[in-house]
Amino acid sequence: MTPPAVVVDGRTLSPADVAAVAWHGARVVLADAVIPLLERERAVVESIVDRQVPAYGVTTGLGSRSSYALPREELARFSVRTVRGRANAVGGPLPIPVVRAAVLARVNGIAGGGSGVRPEVARLLIDMLNARVHPVIPEVGSIGASDLCQMAHVGLVVIGEGHAEVSGQILDGAAALRRAGLTPAQLGPKDGAVLCGASPLAAGHGALALHEAAAAVTLAQAVAALTFEGFRANTSPLDPRVLRLRPAPGQSRAAAELLALLAGGELAAPGSGRRVQDPISLRCTAQVHGSLHAALDFAAAALEPELNGCGDNPVVLADTNEILSSGNFHTPALALAFDTLALAVAQTAAVSAARMQRLLDSAVSGLPANLSVYGPERSGFAPLAKTAQALVAEIRAGSAPVCADPRYGADAVEDDSTNASLGARRLTAILTRLTQLLAVEAVAAAQAVDLAAPAALGQGPQLLHRAIRDVVPHLDDDWPGGMDVNRVVDQVLGSAEVQRELGALIGQASGLTSER
């Protein structure tokens, strides 16, 4: 089914909208008010040029050459040189969904006002998205002081240069536009800086990462609930009366969601747990997953103004006929939020692996050693624990903060940056690893449930256990477990239907807590 069109107005773009355009090919349309706004702003740019008023990057050079006035006859060529001279990214091409997300974020930033770009440039970016003309953007080049060296590769295609993917083929920019029935744009003053400027790659890629992270929270909760059932965990730490005594961010929401998943089973009844006190990886699941909720909230709050704001420098103020220098391209809050979310993912990964290990330990779980009813002649799930630890190691390495790295830009004027784009790209990588790790825990938890044989499972664990058993059998003899994990990743945790059903169950917790 074709997703509904996404209306670009510069104010209301959401991560879900970005996902619809990037992953599902939703069409993009400009809101009716956008072109008149761009025309008013463009008139300001033309007036500044005609009056030869000094304006950064419009009538002057860029970066360390901002004090040099440019001849009037050079301004259009300067825009083209701005694009060509900044297309310096290297490495393999970014995935097409990331490119689509970045172009969408850039055109939405333009639509909200402040850029001063010619309206036909905005129209062409929209047309490229809808015709599926995808500029080839190398993966490395942004330091977070605008995504200049990567977004310039989009600018190359806009002017009929560079390279783009169309229907699986890589074509030169002019041929790609021609195949789609589009014409390269003629750049005027400031247009080149607009095409390269702001932080749309960090914002667009970040929106996709946050969309994935929100799904990962749901999966982490569901897999933990399945482990609770197999372990026969004590649920008293989830009691809202306990949590109100120290209302840490996110924990009440996480606990309410876990209880919603466990509803309908016998485990949620008081006194159903085997032990008075469980290991921290089970007992404090709500605290750890709550911190992931809190980090995701922080990231969403930091992302919203980047998706729906003007990150240009300078900015054009149509109401007062001014062009003013701006720091809106700088993204320290966004970079910090991405780092925070990455660290929260690492915490979540650590307790997932620890819960899986506790299931294998018969002295703690009360289940057969390594979840195998046979003796030492079979390994059971013990070797899979090594894979879990390997995944944790990769996630931990990928969660190292990047926003505080030393950096250097143009002489004397560009002396700070954020690495926000790197932060977003790193997030998607560790979220993939987290899903794989949750699949490891889920396979072990399903085995534990088989062995514990509770009389009644909660609604969430029942759904997840059934979905796992549809693709992975109960482990009897030793077997290549990596194949089972991959099947659970692809067919269970990666299933949109399973995610929707789990999300609906978790949604029942919304009335149990007012905490986001």
Side-chain angles (χ1 to χ4, degrees):
M1 188 174 77
T2 303
V6 171
V7 178
V8 168
D9 59 10
R11 295 290 179 266
T12 60
L13 190 68
S14 69
D17 293 330
V18 176
V21 172
W23 285 329
H24 307 300
R27 287 187 60 79
V28 183
V29 296
L30 282 173
D32 292 341
V34 170
I35 294 301
L37 172 61
L38 299 187
E39 289 172 343
R40 291 196 304 274
E41 291 180 346
R42 189 63 193 180
V44 176
V45 173
E46 299 296 346
S47 174
I48 291 291
V49 168
D50 289 343
R51 292 182 288 122
Q52 297 184 328
V53 177
Y56 175 74
V58 182
T59 58
T60 76
L62 293 165
S64 61
R65 301 190 176 191
S66 59
S67 60
Y68 293 90
L70 300 173
R72 174 68 176 86
E73 63 274 13
E74 283 291 317
L75 297 185
R77 287 192 291 271
F78 179 68
S79 261
V80 173
R81 286 196 294 271
T82 296
V83 171
R84 289 173 178 161
R86 282 157 182 77
N88 296 314
V90 298
L94 287 172
I96 287 172
V98 175
V99 173
R100 290 181 63 80
V103 174
L104 177 64
R106 177 69 287 219
V107 77
N108 192 63
I110 289 170
S115 75
V117 76
R118 298 174 72 203
E120 47 263 51
V121 172
R123 287 195 190 97
L124 181 55
L125 291 173
I126 293 284
D127 290 342
M128 287 168 57
L129 281 170
N130 290 334
R132 301 192 67 82
V133 175
H134 304 127
V136 175
I137 305 177
E139 62 184 347
V140 179
S142 174
I143 58 173
S146 289
D147 296 322
L148 295 169
C149 292
Q150 288 178 283
M151 291 305 295
H153 291 266
V154 176
L156 286 177
V157 177
V158 167
I159 63 175
E161 300 179 12
H163 293 86
E165 182 274 340
V166 182
S167 301
Q169 287 185 283
I170 303 298
L171 307 174
D172 66 73
L177 292 177
R178 190 163 53 249
R179 178 171 292 188
L182 303 175
T183 303
Q186 299 297 313
L187 301 188
K190 200 179 187 299
D191 293 338
V194 172
L195 285 168
C196 300
S199 300
L201 184 56
H205 202 166
L208 296 181
L210 263 62
H211 199 267
E212 292 179 56
V217 177
T218 296
L219 297 176
Q221 292 279 72
V223 171
L226 187 62
T227 296
F228 272 44
E229 292 280 15
F231 192 86
R232 310 313 292 156
N234 186 335
T235 60
S236 68
L238 305 179
D239 191 313
R241 296 170 299 175
V242 173
L243 299 173
R244 279 195 294 268
L245 295 173
R246 195 217 54 174
Q251 70 175 11
S252 291
R253 179 184 180 188
E257 291 174 351
L258 286 166
L259 289 173
L261 289 165
L262 294 169
E266 62 182 12
L267 192 62
S272 296
R274 288 184 306 107
R275 300 161 59 99
V276 174
Q277 180 158 280
D278 291 330
I280 286 176
S281 58
L282 287 104
R283 186 176 5 129
C284 297
T285 295
Q287 282 73 24
V288 176
H289 290 185
S291 72
L292 181 57
H293 268 310
L296 185 55
D297 287 346
F298 175 33
L303 178 67
E304 199 281 333
E306 301 303 332
L307 280 181
N308 292 291
C310 174
D312 286 276
N313 179 40
V315 296
V316 178
L317 305 179
D319 291 341
T320 57
N321 295 312
E322 293 178 280
I323 297 182
L324 301 180
S325 179
S326 160
N328 288 355
F329 62 89
H330 208 39
T331 53
L334 185 64
L336 179 62
F338 288 161
D339 280 353
T340 301
L341 184 53
L343 290 168
V345 168
Q347 288 184 327
T348 301
V351 295
S352 173
R355 285 192 300 263
M356 187 260 193
Q357 290 274 13
R358 300 295 79 75
L359 289 174
L360 307 190
D361 186 347
S362 60
V364 179
S365 69
L367 298 170
N370 300 323
L371 301 178
S372 173
V373 296
Y374 300 102
E377 71 277 10
R378 288 176 174 83
S379 299
F381 281 79
L384 199 55
K386 294 180 173 62
T387 300
Q389 290 302 322
L391 289 166
V392 171
E394 292 212 8
I395 292 167
R396 186 182 298 117
S399 69
V402 299
C403 71
D405 285 351
R407 48 264 170 148
Y408 171 78
D411 293 344
V413 292
E414 294 175 2
D415 54 359
D416 191 46
S417 56
T418 69
N419 290 324
S421 180
L422 172 59
R425 181 158 52 92
R426 167 275 314 275
L427 261 179
T428 58
I430 65 173
L431 285 167
T432 297
R433 295 294 186 231
L434 178 63
T435 303
Q436 292 166 335
L437 177 59
L438 292 172
V440 171
E441 181 187 356
V443 170
Q447 182 85 357
V449 166
D450 292 345
L451 296 172
L457 289 175
Q459 53 186 353
Q462 183 180 54
L463 187 162
L464 190 55
H465 183 268
R466 183 174 61 249
I468 291 170
R469 284 291 169 257
D470 283 345
V471 299
V472 172
H474 175 87
L475 182 67
D476 184 31
D477 206 346
D478 287 349
W479 178 255
M483 297 190 303
D484 291 343
V485 171
N486 287 335
R487 278 194 290 270
V488 170
V489 168
D490 295 337
Q491 300 177 46
V492 180
L493 302 187
S495 163
E497 181 180 356
V498 170
Q499 290 184 18
R500 277 195 302 271
E501 291 184 27
L502 291 172
L505 295 178
I506 283 177
Q508 297 172 11
S510 60
L512 303 179
T513 175
S514 59
E515 183 183 326
R516 164 73 176 96

